[in-house]
Amino acid sequence: MNRNNDKLLFTPGPLTTSMTTKVAMMRDLGSRDFEFIEQVKFIRERLLQLAGVSVEAGYESIIMQGSGTFGIEAVISSVIPDDGHLLVIINGVYGERISRMASIHRIHQSSLRFAENEVPDIAVVKEFLHENTDITHVAVIHCETTTGIINPIHEIGQLCAEAGKVFIVDAMSSFGAYPVDLQASGIHFLISSSNKCIEGVPGFSFVIAQREQLMSGEYNARTLSLDLFAQWKGLELNGQFRFTPPTHALLAFAAALAGLELEGGVAGRAKRYIENYEALAAGMKELGFREYLIPEHRGYIITCFHYPEDSSFDFVSFYEALNERGFVIYPGKLSEVNCFRIGNIGHINRQDIHNLVRAVGEVLAEKGILMDKREA
Ligand SMILES: *Cc1c(COP(=O)(O)O)cnc(C)c1O
């Protein structure tokens, strides 16, 4: 793979990126430069294509400065009117984060919480929408990166379509690697960011929005900088951003999009990530690790493993020993279970996963950690 000698990142982002993507940043373009404006135009068009929609079909893409959270907050704070009522479906920390945003913006909200190792129960969501007819918007996470679980956005979208609700999906850690059908799933706003499955560098988020819903929110913004409608209008007017754009990150992203296309688009990328996941799952199982999720709920973006049962296991020293060997893994974020996570995404392949698994085995042996190798 074309990259430098940095440590490999087995995290949910920022990720290991290709040399081509990194090199694309070695320019200083002005934000009003014709060439830069062309790149932004290219990126916005490609994002719509990746989402399987188009301007003609009634969709728009909007780039927002900041990390992924800024894009979500732009949507939450810009599209729900004062008399709106948001339902947040939660099974992990990112769902909780949306609920927190709604509180800060004093948006009327309800939440439905499910266990972190369970997908939302469609029947419960249906019943809730049936009983609470004043709900106007529904938000859910696609890949809840807390555990790597894949939530049933298509089924939830169907319920929203039947009940006439605006549907918001945080597809931060899945977009580009999982196919999504915005039209069939009734998604009005989908949010993702530069540094996850498209394998760009951090710096911005983007929103794929159904134009009609976007326009109906013209006067709903609760902040100036995160005003989604105004951001879109600015980009439409002259192709420019309202405020300083992350020019280097956008150049890297254009290169990353070209890389995604070379790999065969979403299907090609999914194939490599699935291979990464399968190599990881097999290797870690062999070492005696147990996955947190049951097989039906597992995705191929990031995997959550239980700590070994051996009480001498210490995550920090385990992490540091892997880090010294050039591998960066990710801590857990579960409320009640001790887990750590390993990401399968970024410019990494099966061989990198094999090398990581070998290093994990070495670290366990070095620290004398006993693994329970009975079948999980
Ligand atoms: C990464 C991620 C975010 C956004 O995180 P940032 O650190 O703001 O980029 C939001 N939701 C999900 C599901 C994520 O994986």
Side-chain angles (χ1 to χ4, degrees):
M1 304 210 102
N2 66 333
R3 61 190 178 207
N4 61 14
N5 289 324
D6 286 337
K7 288 169 190 158
L8 293 180
L9 304 175
F10 297 89
T11 69
L15 305 170
T16 297
T17 58
S18 73
M19 192 53 87
T20 317
T21 295
K22 282 188 267 281
V23 166
M25 286 187 284
M26 300 184 77
R27 318 235 0 232
D28 299 308
L29 289 186
S31 58
R32 284 150 207 271
D33 186 306
F34 173 72
E35 196 185 338
F36 176 68
I37 289 173
E38 279 303 305
Q39 292 278 14
V40 171
K41 188 163 168 259
F42 163 77
I43 290 170
R44 291 182 64 212
E45 283 168 6
R46 281 293 290 144
L47 286 175
L48 288 176
Q49 278 174 24
L50 268 181
V53 293
S54 63
V55 169
E56 296 71 38
Y59 292 82
E60 298 289 340
S61 70
I62 305 129
I63 302 171
M64 184 60 80
Q65 295 96 325
S67 79
T69 305
F70 292 63
I72 301 172
E73 191 153 16
V75 170
I76 298 298
S77 66
S78 302
V79 310
I80 302 163
D82 284 344
D83 59 356
H85 182 177
L86 172 68
L87 168 64
V88 191
I89 301 172
I90 304 173
N91 60 343
V93 295
Y94 293 101
E96 294 291 353
R97 188 177 290 179
I98 293 183
S99 175
R100 178 99 185 91
M101 284 173 191
S103 307
I104 286 173
H105 294 289
R106 297 187 166 72
I107 290 164
H108 180 32
Q109 68 166 316
S110 296
S111 44
L112 271 177
R113 284 189 174 73
F114 298 90
E116 287 163 326
N117 59 354
E118 292 292 341
V119 295
D121 184 334
I122 297 297
V124 172
V125 176
K126 184 172 184 167
E127 181 68 16
F128 196 87
L129 288 176
H130 190 71
E131 282 171 5
N132 297 273
T133 50
D134 67 325
I135 285 170
T136 52
H137 294 66
V138 175
V140 74
I141 315 294
H142 185 202
C143 171
E144 195 20 290
T145 319
T146 315
T147 58
I149 201 166
I150 303 297
N151 287 329
I153 54 170
H154 182 72
E155 289 74 8
I156 297 170
Q158 302 278 300
L159 293 180
C160 289
E162 280 163 26
K165 314 298 180 194
V166 177
F167 189 34
I168 301 167
V169 175
D170 168 352
M172 205 66 67
S173 61
S174 56
F175 188 76
Y178 270 88
V180 270
D181 187 332
L182 273 86
Q183 264 165 317
S185 302
I187 301 170
H188 299 92
F189 297 97
L190 176 141
I191 309 113
S192 186
S193 78
S194 55
N195 64 281
K196 294 209 173 172
C197 298
I198 301 188
E199 301 185 359
V201 304
F204 62 91
S205 55
F206 53 85
V207 180
I208 314 292
Q210 195 215 25
R211 190 185 311 111
E212 206 180 306
Q213 275 306 320
L214 176 67
M215 292 180 73
S216 75
E218 180 169 3
Y219 303 108
N220 292 338
R222 291 162 177 85
T223 73
L224 174 77
S225 57
L226 297 177
D227 182 338
L228 190 70
F229 180 87
Q231 186 84 349
W232 173 61
K233 274 279 123 163
L235 287 167
E236 285 294 298
L237 196 66
N238 53 13
Q240 296 176 12
F241 286 76
R242 293 176 301 155
F243 314 116
T244 307
T247 47
H248 301 80
L250 283 155
L251 290 173
F253 195 69
L257 283 170
L260 175 59
E261 195 164 336
L262 270 179
E263 195 173 359
V266 176
R269 184 135 304 174
K271 183 169 174 283
R272 174 164 56 88
Y273 288 176
I274 290 169
E275 284 171 7
N276 286 352
Y277 166 69
E278 286 174 350
L280 179 72
M284 293 295 278
K285 187 172 177 201
E286 176 98 28
L287 290 173
F289 282 95
R290 285 186 305 121
E291 287 192 39
Y292 170 71
L293 293 175
I294 59 167
E296 300 85 290
H297 296 338
R298 292 174 192 164
Y300 49 81
I301 301 297
I302 189 165
T303 307
C304 196
F305 294 99
H306 285 281
Y307 282 6
E309 275 164 30
D310 186 337
S311 60
S312 68
F313 178 81
D314 170 54
F315 178 73
V316 175
S317 75
F318 176 69
Y319 175 93
E320 283 169 0
L322 285 173
N323 199 289
E324 279 164 21
R325 287 167 163 82
F327 303 100
V328 179
I329 64 165
Y330 213 61
K333 244 185 203 175
L334 292 174
S335 36
E336 276 152 19
V337 187
N338 278 327
C339 282
F340 63 86
R341 288 174 288 174
I342 296 182
N344 310 306
I345 62 177
H347 195 62
I348 51 172
N349 62 21
R350 209 171 359 175
Q351 187 55 51
D352 298 315
I353 300 277
H354 287 315
N355 296 342
L356 167 70
V357 170
R358 188 175 334 111
V360 169
E362 282 168 20
V363 170
L364 292 176
E366 178 187 286
K367 299 198 177 291
I369 293 159
L370 295 174
M371 300 298 289
D372 180 356
K373 300 236 175 130
R374 279 171 308 181
E375 277 299 299

